[in-house]
């Protein structure tokens, strides 16, 4: 829920500009249309756009919160689960609550336990800012997986932070310029953890907090980790019992995670595709509610990519009310640029657009909250890339005959996803090989795509990036201690969680396209108690022979239709542009605008010849289907960087934000 913003100035005696804070809230009105708040004073100020889900009283739940003694200030985004038990415990210890908001817990936990111990009590998806006047210290905190976004930038006058990039850009002191490396990664899809495409703008990393201490007119900034995925070292792994023990443990943890995420003062629905992840979540939600649940399903016009038949079977099996949004593939490019305004980064597949349209339908049906299945593949080894890495690096003892069978199976089952989910050909990166022991398959298609990027860049940028190694830049942001001595499957999952989960699935596939329509998505699989348990599940229980997510399938077997229980993993994505003549034509119309020679020369980011050569390569007779999938992605990225330039660099964002505040009557 909500969008947050704030400023901490170097000079404690200087007044924060209230109009700027209001503008920073107004430009993210889509995140919180139910009200706003602003607290501005000497040296510090917060603002907040509210989506009311817990404690619907508009006055009582209004943020930013200021403690009764005026010493603490808080602005929070997201949900803190198990808050009722924590509230009862704190009340018994003498805390006095002024609201029913789950966010108010932060004040009382902080005073009871101190900052770092407080974090161990927080369960959910959240990003928040807490200012302690007595310590003259600002804390910026992001949840363990990065479900909720939090950006920050240091200017000459202080630190600016917010839930979205456009929130920072609403402050005139924050520059709006691409970095050459940031642009490179936008064109190749995989970004460097903690980075953005823009100069001087950073993310608080998942499972981290920023501690900003003001001393003698200077800000001292330090980023600290408070949590990481606890995959065990191989020497002590897999000692938790037999198969049934692991299956029962996963079931127990997931049931608890779903139950907690059904808590809200508004209706809660479920996203439902044809995978066992969302089907498991909806089945558990229906059982817990003891009644029909509202399910929301995306349907594509391509039978090869459409999952509605299995989703409908699941919905019928639990008596769910199902809303199916039928999407024409060529229609997705009509909303491509609007989607980029919200994702604030490029997208390789129009699934992000489809999810934007789905969240719009959810909002129109008066739902603010849905449970989702994101995170299951990350915890239980569900992606084709994980099966490939397990086969190549984690099955040394496999007999030669069975190894041949595995290799044939991987090739046959994943042909549709080559070029995106899997590289067409193996790609090895020296820096990742050194750190991980191999180049994780999840990064190989994008590192391969990265080889095409220099030819696409403006000559000046190409020159500036001579010798740049994207694989090394990614590797340098991964914790070697978390990888050392781990099983190859653990390593593959860890790298995905730190790169593709946070940088793709939870951004343009999650929070950004959901909150674009004032709708909160709750990924129950990313409950950190469940994740900590899943990390200890033996690799052979995650991937067993042909079956990925084996332990989850067995844990949920009783509520899954037989056809779904036996179904192999199918990566949910929209049809690539080249697979449909009408969709290709729709993409080309957009490219004629954003990738014309005039548009390219005006932005100064790309090379017209390089762009033209890439389109020629796409249409060549000898270009394979897998290469076309990769080139489809790069074309989307090229349109994307041009659109980002037009929307965030060319546009006057501070003026746009002030105009929005005036339209809303926020002051």
């Amino acid at each position: 829920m909500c969008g947050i913003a704030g400023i901490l100035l170097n000079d404690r005696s200087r007044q924060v500009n209230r109009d700027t804070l209001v503008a920073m809230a107004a430009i993210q009105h889509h995140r919180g249309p139910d009200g706003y708040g602003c607290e501005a004073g000497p040296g510090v100020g917060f603002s907040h756009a509210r989506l009311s889900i817990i404690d619907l009283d508009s006055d009582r739940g209004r943020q930013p919160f200021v403690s009764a003694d005026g010493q603490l200030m808080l602005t929070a985004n997201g949900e803190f689960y198990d808050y009722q038990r924590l509230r009862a415990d704190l009340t018994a210890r003498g805390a006095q609550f002024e609201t029913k908001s789950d966010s108010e817990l932060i004040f009382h936990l902080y005073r009871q336990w101190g900052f770092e111990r407080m974090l161990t009590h927080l369960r959910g998806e959240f990003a928040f800012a807490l200012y302690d006047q007595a310590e003259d210290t600002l804390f910026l905190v992001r949840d363990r997986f990065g479900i909720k976004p939090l950006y920050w930038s240091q200017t000459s006058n202080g630190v600016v932070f917010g839930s979205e990039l456009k929130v920072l850009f609403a402050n005139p002191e924050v520059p709006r310029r691409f970095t050459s490396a940031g642009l490179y990664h936008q064109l190749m899809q995989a970004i460097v953890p903690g980075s953005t495409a823009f100069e001087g703008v950073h993310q608080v990393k998942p499972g981290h907090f920023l501690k900003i201490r003001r001393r003698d007119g200077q800000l001292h900034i330090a980023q600290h980790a408070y949590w990481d995925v606890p995959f065990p070292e191989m020497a002590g792994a897999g000692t938790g019992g037999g198969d049934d023990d692991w299956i029962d443990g996963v079931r127990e943890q997931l049931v608890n995670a779903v139950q907690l995420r059904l808590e809200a003062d508004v209706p809660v629905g479920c996203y439902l595709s044809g995978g066992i992840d969302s089907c498991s979540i909806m089945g558990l939600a229906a059982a817990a509610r003891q009644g029909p649940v509202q399910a929301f399903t995306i349907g594509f016009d391509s039978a090869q990519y459409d999952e509605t038949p299995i989703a409908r079977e699941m919905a019928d099996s639990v008596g769910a009310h199902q809303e199916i949004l039928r999407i024409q593939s060529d229609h997705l490019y009509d909303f491509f640029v609007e989607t980029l305004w919200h994702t604030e980064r490029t997208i390789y597949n129009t699934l992000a657009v489809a999810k934007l349209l789905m969240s719009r339908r959810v909002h129109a049906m008066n739902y603010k909250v849905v449970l989702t299945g994101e995170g299951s593949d990350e915890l239980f080894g569900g992606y084709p890339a994980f099966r490939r890495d397990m086969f190549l690096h984690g099955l040394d003892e496999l007999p030669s005959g069975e190894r041949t069978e595995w290799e044939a199976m991987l090739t046959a089952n994943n042909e549709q996803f080559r070029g995106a989910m899997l590289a067409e050909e193996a790609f090895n990166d020296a820096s990742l090989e050194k750190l991980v022991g191999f180049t994780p398959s999840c990064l190989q298609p994008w590192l391969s795509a990265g080889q095409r990027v220099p030819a696409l860049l403006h000559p000046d940028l190409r020159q500036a990036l001579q010798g740049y190694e994207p694989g090394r830049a990614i590797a340098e942001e991964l914790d070697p201690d978390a990888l050392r001595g781990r099983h190859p499957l653990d390593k593959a999952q860890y790298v995905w969680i730190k790169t593709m989960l946070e940088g793709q699935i939870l951004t343009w596939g999650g929070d950004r396209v959901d909150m674009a329509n004032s709708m909160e998505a709750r990924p129950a699989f990313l409950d950190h108690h469940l994740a900590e348990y899943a990390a200890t599940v033996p690799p052979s229980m995650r991937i067993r022979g042909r079956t990925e997510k084996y332990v989850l399938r067995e844990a949920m077997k009783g509520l899954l239709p037989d056809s779904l229980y036996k179904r192999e993993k199918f990566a949910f994505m929209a049809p690539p542009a080249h697979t449909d003549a009408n969709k290709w034509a729709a993409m080309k119309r957009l490219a004629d605008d954003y990738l014309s020679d005039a548009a390219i020369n005006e932005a100064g980011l790309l090379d017209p010849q390089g762009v033209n050569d890439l389109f020629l390569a796409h249409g060549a007779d000898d270009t394979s289907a897998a290469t076309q999938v990769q080139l489809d992605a790069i074309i989307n990225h090229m349109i994307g960087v041009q659109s980002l330039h037009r929307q965030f660099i060319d546009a006057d964002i501070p003026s746009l934000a002030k105009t929005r505040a005036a339209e809303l009557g926020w002051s």
Side-chain angles (χ1 to χ4, degrees), residues 117-143:
R117 191 173 175 189
M118 170 190 74
L119 297 177
T120 66
H121 291 271
L122 300 181
R123 185 174 189 174
E125 52 266 4
F126 51 81
F128 67 88
L130 175 67
Y131 173 69
D132 184 330
Q133 185 180 63
E135 297 292 329
D136 202 10
T137 297
L138 171 67
F139 298 97
L140 300 179
V141 186
R142 195 172 181 201
D143 67 63

Side-chain angles (χ1 to χ4, degrees), residues 185-191 345 348 446 500 504 508 637:
H185 284 273
Q186 293 293 306
L187 288 167
M188 65 170 273
Q189 172 63 24
I191 66 172
R345 65 147 298 169
Y348 85 89
W446 310 122
M500 308 309 292
Q504 170 183 306
W508 65 253
H637 291 319

Side-chain angles (χ1 to χ4, degrees), residues 117-290:
R117 191 173 175 189
M118 170 190 74
L119 297 177
T120 66
H121 291 271
L122 300 181
R123 185 174 189 174
E125 52 266 4
F126 51 81
F128 67 88
L130 175 67
Y131 173 69
D132 184 330
Q133 185 180 63
E135 297 292 329
D136 202 10
T137 297
L138 171 67
F139 298 97
L140 300 179
V141 186
R142 195 172 181 201
D143 67 63
R144 293 167 177 83
F145 284 100
I147 302 166
K148 291 300 177 185
L150 185 54
Y151 299 95
W152 66 278
S153 181
Q154 186 170 19
T155 71
S156 59
N157 290 313
V159 165
V160 180
F161 67 86
S163 293
E164 299 189 1
L165 289 170
K166 62 180 69 71
V167 177
L168 276 64
F169 294 156
N171 187 316
E173 295 184 0
V174 178
R176 305 192 309 279
R177 293 186 294 270
F178 283 122
T179 65
S180 54
L183 186 64
Y184 192 116
H185 284 273
Q186 293 293 306
L187 288 167
M188 65 170 273
Q189 172 63 24
I191 66 172
V192 177
S195 74
T196 73
F198 296 93
E199 183 179 310
V201 180
H202 317 278
Q203 299 187 62
V204 177
K205 290 183 179 181
H208 284 67
F209 66 87
L210 221 63
K211 183 176 183 179
I212 308 173
R213 300 165 63 244
R214 182 165 48 193
R215 299 293 184 268
D216 301 321
Q218 292 187 331
L219 301 182
H220 302 269
I221 304 174
Q223 186 161 234
H224 304 274
Y226 69 89
W227 188 86
D228 206 352
V229 189
F231 288 115
E233 294 191 28
M234 289 178 66
T239 57
D243 286 10
D244 289 344
D245 297 312
W246 293 113
I247 291 166
D248 291 344
V250 167
R251 184 187 304 112
E252 179 183 356
Q253 293 287 344
L254 183 56
V255 167
N256 191 29
V258 169
Q259 182 66 48
L260 287 171
R261 283 159 181 78
L262 289 170
E263 178 62 34
D265 294 336
V266 296
V268 178
C270 292
Y271 276 157
L272 179 65
S273 67
I276 67 170
D277 315 326
S278 62
C279 289
S280 296
I281 297 298
M282 195 192 68
L284 292 176
R289 283 288 170 92
Q290 301 183 55

Side-chain angles (χ1 to χ4, degrees), residues 247 251 541 547 549-558 560 565:
I247 291 166
R251 184 187 304 112
M541 288 294 291
T547 305
K549 295 185 287 193
Y550 172 79
V551 67
L552 178 65
R553 288 175 187 270
E554 296 304 309
M556 296 292 105
K557 183 177 181 179
L560 297 174
Y565 167 73

